[in-house]
């Protein structure tokens, strides 16, 4: 057994449960003591609605930075930590996605004094994990460990494989993300293209807007505002579906939609259709059960609304071999509700009365205009024209469905 962490899981100022956790084995040690079952994270419940220690362990692990995140090993070594779970605990497990945190024994701080929605946080950890440039990354890494406050940041509870960090822009927390070198750092540009598409066909509350940070390293990063506040939390669809019994005759789509409708989200099917339409047009190959879901009131536990669309960088064929032809378009990777993205569209995006198809006119040119910001893409023969042809095909798919 490794270095066991004993904590109280808090939801705001509610003591939810006391537990011990082995970060090396990613397991809960012993039997947790539940003190407030009404504020248990949905992800800690099994499909009978009962608390599960295994689910708690999985929920804690998913809260930490993935081991595959670039730069993480250097950060852990600098801080003399073995696991990202230990790094998460060092920052009280605080996040900008919900109101849960991990209170150590003897700690006297309250929610209002520790949360990152109302209090400043250090940017050193985020800069070390997703630097503006090589020098800033090295400088931030050197600062870590010299002052315990440098690890007090929401970055330690930020999942996902891309380099990313939280920082203040205009006085508000924004998530700043880079891309993968093997994809020529196209992902931030894709996030901006997705925003322009959403702006054309959706209402502002349906999506998280992404801007380009043009002085980023390597050159472009994407930036978006935090989509929750100190009163709401994001619940991934995976936690919703794992915490409920699904009747054999229901598809996972029907089960998720029915769960939302039961909790008062009567526009869930329309919101899911919007997601499927946007994902189809931009060829989003990374829509999974962790990056869509619902927003919940952390205090009352009421489901407020479907979460706005976010995390659309793995799109526009950025992971296709550079010499590949992009048309005709067929996505073979598994999607949340079907094995092929076009199957999802045909099966579950019916009744598109909300879609004004004429607003898609000119979108392809607008998208290519954004991608042209990348010198690497622009100078690659046939790359942008191939993407344009493929986009025309996906737009036509949606337009035919609307007709």
């Amino acid at each position: 057994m490794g270095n066991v962490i004993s904590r109280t899981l808090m939801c705001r100022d509610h003591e939810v449960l006391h537990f011990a956790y082995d970060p090396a084995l990613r397991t809960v040690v012993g039997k947790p003591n539940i003190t407030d079952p009404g504020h248990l994270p949905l992800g800690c419940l099994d499909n009978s609605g009962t608390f599960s220690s295994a689910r708690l362990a999985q929920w804690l692990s998913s809260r930490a930075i993935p081991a595959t995140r670039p730069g993480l090993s250097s950060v852990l070594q600098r801080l003399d930590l073995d696991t990202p779970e230990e790094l998460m605990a060092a920052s009280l497990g605080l996040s900008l996605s919900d109101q849960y945190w991990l209170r150590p024994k003897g700690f006297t701080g309250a929610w209002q004094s520790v949360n990152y929605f109302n209090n400043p946080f250090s940017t050193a950890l985020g800069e070390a994990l997703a630097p503006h440039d090589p020098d800033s990354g090295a400088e931030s890494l050197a600062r870590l460990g010299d002052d315990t406050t440098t690890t007090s940041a929401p970055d330690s509870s930020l999942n996902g494989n891309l380099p990313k960090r939280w920082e203040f822009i205009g006085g508000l927390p924004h998530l700043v993300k880079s891309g993968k070198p093997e994809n020529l750092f196209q992902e931030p540009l894709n996030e901006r293209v997705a925003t322009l598409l959403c702006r054309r066909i959706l209402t502002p509350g349906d999506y998280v807007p992404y801007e380009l940070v043009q002085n980023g390293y390597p050159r472009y990063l994407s930036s978006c505002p935090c989509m929750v506040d100190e009163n709401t939390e994001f619940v991934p669809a995976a936690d919703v579906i794992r915490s409920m019994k699904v009747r054999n005759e229901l598809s996972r789509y029907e089960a998720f939609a029915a769960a939302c409708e039961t909790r008062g989200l009567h526009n869930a099917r329309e919101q899911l259709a919007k997601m499927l339409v946007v994902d189809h047009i931009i060829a989003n190959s990374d829509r999974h059960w962790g990056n869509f879901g619902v927003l919940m009131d952390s205090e009352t536990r009421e489901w407020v609304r479907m979460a706005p669309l976010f995390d659309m960088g793995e799109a526009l064929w950025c992971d296709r071999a550079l010499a590949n032809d992009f048309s005709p378009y067929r996505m073979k990777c598994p999607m949340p509700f079907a094995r092929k993205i076009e199957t999802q569209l045909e099966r579950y995006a019916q009744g598109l009365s909300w879609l004004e198809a004429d607003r898609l006119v000119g979108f392809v040119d607008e998208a290519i205009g954004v991608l042209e910001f990348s010198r690497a893409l622009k100078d690659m023969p046939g790359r942008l024209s191939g993407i344009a042809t493929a986009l025309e095909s996906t737009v036509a798919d949606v337009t035919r469905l609307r007709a």
Side-chain angles (χ1 to χ4, degrees):
M1 185 177 297
N3 181 27
V4 174
I5 298 172
S6 295
R7 294 289 188 272
T8 297
L9 175 63
M10 304 289 295
C11 181
R12 299 168 65 86
D13 285 320
H14 299 276
E15 291 189 0
V16 180
L17 62 84
H18 308 285
F19 70 97
Y21 177 76
D22 187 333
L25 300 178
R26 296 184 176 179
T27 58
V28 172
V29 179
K31 184 178 181 180
N33 176 25
I34 300 174
T35 54
D36 186 351
H39 282 87
L40 284 168
L42 200 60
C44 294
L45 307 180
D46 62 21
N47 60 11
S48 66
T50 304
F51 171 80
S52 163
S53 291
R55 293 288 191 207
L56 172 60
Q58 186 178 38
W59 183 83
L60 289 167
S61 180
S62 68
R63 200 171 185 79
I65 300 173
T68 52
R69 176 82 66 80
L72 176 61
S73 58
S74 297
V75 166
L76 293 178
Q77 183 177 11
R78 174 72 176 119
L79 296 173
D80 195 25
L81 299 174
D82 295 322
T83 68
E85 286 82 3
E86 291 174 286
L87 176 60
M88 174 191 66
S91 191
L92 302 180
L94 285 159
S95 169
L96 281 170
S97 294
D98 59 34
Q99 283 69 51
Y100 288 103
W101 56 292
L102 309 180
R103 189 182 70 186
K105 185 177 181 179
F107 186 82
T108 59
W111 167 249
Q112 284 301 320
S113 66
V114 300
N115 80 82
Y116 295 133
F117 295 100
N118 299 320
N119 296 287
F121 53 82
S122 170
T123 58
L125 178 60
E127 188 65 31
L129 290 166
H132 282 84
D133 55 61
D135 290 338
S136 69
E139 292 169 0
S140 295
L141 185 63
R143 286 171 54 200
L144 293 181
D146 295 337
D147 183 345
T148 57
T149 62
T150 59
T151 57
S152 298
D155 304 279
S156 63
S157 297
L158 183 57
N159 60 20
N161 292 316
L162 286 177
K164 60 187 70 174
R165 65 176 183 268
W166 285 104
E167 67 177 48
F168 288 102
I169 299 177
L172 298 173
H174 281 64
L175 181 62
V176 178
K177 294 197 296 184
S178 181
K180 298 177 183 176
E182 60 267 31
N183 294 339
L184 302 179
F185 303 99
Q186 187 180 325
E187 292 90 344
L189 302 175
N190 294 346
E191 297 277 23
R192 181 57 184 165
V193 170
T195 294
L196 296 177
L197 172 61
C198 290
R199 182 181 295 174
R200 285 172 171 264
I201 63 176
L202 305 183
T203 57
D206 290 335
Y207 63 96
V208 175
Y210 289 79
E211 300 286 345
L212 286 178
V213 180
Q214 297 189 30
N215 61 343
Y217 168 71
R219 184 178 179 186
Y220 291 103
L221 306 174
S222 65
S223 168
C224 69
C226 183
M227 70 176 179
V228 303
D229 57 27
E230 67 272 21
N231 300 309
T232 55
E233 65 186 70
F234 169 64
V235 182
D239 289 350
V240 173
I241 206 75
R242 287 171 186 156
S243 65
M244 58 181 290
K245 287 186 176 179
V246 178
R247 302 201 310 269
N248 291 334
E249 69 272 19
L250 292 183
S251 67
R252 289 170 70 82
Y253 169 87
E254 289 293 342
F256 179 76
C260 293
E261 290 165 347
T262 299
R263 301 295 291 268
L265 305 186
H266 300 298
N267 67 339
R269 294 171 193 269
E270 180 175 296
Q271 294 303 112
L272 288 172
K274 290 177 179 180
M275 179 182 77
L276 298 180
V277 165
V278 170
D279 283 350
H280 185 88
I281 290 176
I282 64 172
N284 180 12
S285 62
D286 192 40
R287 179 66 65 200
H288 53 76
W289 287 84
N291 61 8
F292 74 99
V294 301
L295 299 186
M296 177 186 289
D297 187 301
S298 292
E299 193 65 34
T300 67
R301 314 310 290 165
E302 294 179 1
W303 291 20
V304 179
R305 51 169 295 191
M306 294 288 291
L309 297 184
F310 69 99
D311 194 14
M312 293 176 278
E314 296 281 341
L316 297 173
W317 302 272
C318 66
D319 59 348
R320 293 285 291 269
L322 301 184
N324 277 5
D325 181 14
F326 302 100
S327 183
Y329 162 59
R330 288 295 180 268
M331 292 287 288
K332 297 287 193 296
C333 55
M335 295 287 112
F337 307 126
R339 293 189 62 81
K340 296 181 180 180
I341 195 170
E342 65 270 18
T343 304
Q344 280 195 140
L345 188 74
E346 296 164 0
R347 188 176 296 168
Y348 300 120
Q350 300 298 320
L352 304 182
S353 59
W354 53 269
L355 176 62
E356 298 180 37
D358 60 345
R359 295 185 64 84
L360 291 168
V361 175
F363 167 68
V364 174
D365 289 339
E366 187 176 35
I368 298 304
V370 172
L371 296 181
E372 284 180 338
F373 290 162
S374 167
R375 177 68 64 84
L377 293 176
K378 189 174 182 180
D379 291 347
M380 192 170 296
R383 183 73 177 178
L384 293 183
S385 61
I387 292 175
T389 299
L391 275 176
E392 290 168 356
S393 176
T394 58
V395 169
D397 289 342
V398 170
T399 303
R400 284 194 297 270
L401 193 63
R402 175 64 176 87

